[in-house]
Amino acid sequence: MMNIILIGPPGAGKGTQAKRLVSERGFVQLSTGDMLREAKSSGTEMGQRVAEVMARGELVTDEIVIGLIAEKLDSVAGADVIFDGFPRTLAQADALGALLQARGTQIAHVIEMAVDDEALVARITGRFSCASCGEVYHDVTRQPKVKGRCDICGGTEFLRRADDSEDSLRVRLMSYYKQTSPLLGYYHAKGLLRSLDGMGEMDAVASGISAILDS
Ligand code: AP5
C-alpha cells in the first residue's frame, strides 16, 4: 500500500499524471478539485458557496476539504492512493498525516512538479476535457487522436473549466505561492519531498515519477 502526494501549481500536470498512474499502476486518485466540482453540481447551498470560491480561484475552507478526504479514505482502504491537489495548506497537511496514522498508514513520497508561470498560463488556457469521462486534453499538446472524439470513451462533447480564465488563474497562482508552497519545506523536513522538472513532455514527466516510485 503506497500513498503519494502530487504537488504543484495550477496546470502543472498533476491530474494528467495521476490518471496515468491510475491506468498504468492501479492507483486510486483522490482529487479534491474533482470532489468539489461534484459538490458544486449537487445543487446544495454548500455546492453554491464552493462554486463561487472556486470561480474566483481562492481556496475552499480546510474544514470542507478535510471532511471530503476523510469520507473518501474509508472507501479506499488498502488501495495505493494518489492525493491530487490535496493537501494545499499546512492545516490540511497536518490533518492528512493524522487521518493516515489513524488508519495505520503513511505518505511514501511527496512529488513536486515544478513548472514556469508562463508555461502554466499556456497549459491552463488551452485545456479542455471530455464531458463524459473527464479525460483531459490540450489545444496544442494533447488533442484527441480522432478530432472531436474522446480517446477513452468515444464521447463527442468537451468542456472548459469556469476557473480557467487568466484572471482566475492569477488568483490561483497567488494561492499556490502563499498557502501551498510552504508545504514543500514541511515535507522536505520530513524527508518525503521529491522534486521533478514538470516542464518536460508528458512521457518524460511520467518516467520521472516512475523512477521515484521504483526507487
Ligand atoms: P484543482 O482542480 O485541484 O485545480 P489546480 O490545482 O488548479 O490544478 P489543475 O487541475 O488546474 O491542473 P493540473 O496540475 O491537474 O494540470 P492538468 O494535468 O489538468 O482545484 C481547483 C480549485 O478547487 C482550486 O482553485 C480551489 O478553489 C479548489 N480546491 C481544490 N483542492 C483544494 C484544497 N485541497 N483546498 C482548498 N481548495 C481546493 O494539465 C493542465 C493542461 O496542461 C492540460 O490541458 C494538459 O493536457 C496539459 N499538460 C499536462 N502535462 C503537460 C506537459 N508535461 N506538457 C505539456 N502540456 C501538459
Side-chain angles (χ1 to χ4, degrees):
M1 186 171 159
M2 182 188 267
N3 301 304
I4 64 169
I5 295 173
L6 294 184
I7 190 166
K14 303 179 295 293
T16 300
Q17 297 298 332
K19 287 198 167 54
R20 284 179 77 137
L21 291 169
V22 168
S23 67
E24 291 169 12
R25 289 185 178 240
F27 274 88
V28 171
Q29 175 190 11
L30 293 188
S31 156
T32 40
D34 287 348
M35 292 176 205
L36 290 166
R37 278 183 286 280
E38 268 170 39
K40 213 170 82 170
S41 51
S42 66
T44 59
E45 199 189 313
M46 189 270 257
Q48 182 57 39
R49 278 206 314 272
V50 162
E52 288 163 12
V53 173
M54 289 174 80
R56 287 199 298 272
E58 293 165 9
L59 293 189
V60 172
T61 64
D62 289 334
E63 194 190 350
I64 291 178
V65 288
I66 292 167
L68 287 171
I69 286 286
E71 212 177 287
K72 284 278 177 186
L73 272 182
D74 289 326
S75 61
V76 300
D80 292 334
V81 176
I82 310 163
F83 294 94
D84 163 9
F86 179 90
R88 267 171 143 102
T89 63
L90 290 166
Q92 291 177 23
D94 282 338
L96 178 61
L99 286 167
L100 293 178
Q101 195 180 17
R103 287 160 178 78
T105 182
Q106 59 193 359
I107 296 156
H109 304 288
V110 176
I111 303 177
E112 178 201 6
M113 302 172 66
V115 176
D116 297 349
D117 288 358
E118 274 169 38
L120 295 173
V121 175
R123 287 188 187 183
I124 288 286
T125 53
R127 171 167 57 185
F128 62 98
S129 60
C130 173
S132 308
C133 72
E135 186 68 7
V136 176
Y137 297 97
H138 189 276
D139 292 329
V140 178
T141 54
R142 186 166 184 246
Q143 282 281 355
K145 290 185 185 103
V146 176
K147 199 171 166 25
R149 184 169 292 274
C150 176
D151 295 348
I152 306 299
C153 73
T156 53
E157 284 194 35
F158 296 88
L159 301 170
R160 289 186 192 257
R161 268 169 48 178
D163 60 345
D164 277 353
S165 65
E166 281 206 48
D167 277 355
S168 176
L169 177 60
R170 217 169 307 124
V171 180
R172 284 159 68 194
L173 270 175
M174 193 55 81
S175 304
Y176 178 76
Y177 291 120
K178 272 168 73 174
Q179 291 165 277
T180 306
S181 65
L183 297 187
L184 301 175
Y186 174 97
Y187 285 120
H188 172 73
K190 289 178 182 283
L192 296 174
L193 186 69
R194 320 273 178 263
S195 297
L196 60 77
D197 181 7
M199 290 290 290
E201 290 187 359
M202 292 175 207
D203 286 349
V205 177
S207 301
I209 292 176
S210 286
I212 291 169
L213 299 186
D214 295 336
S215 64

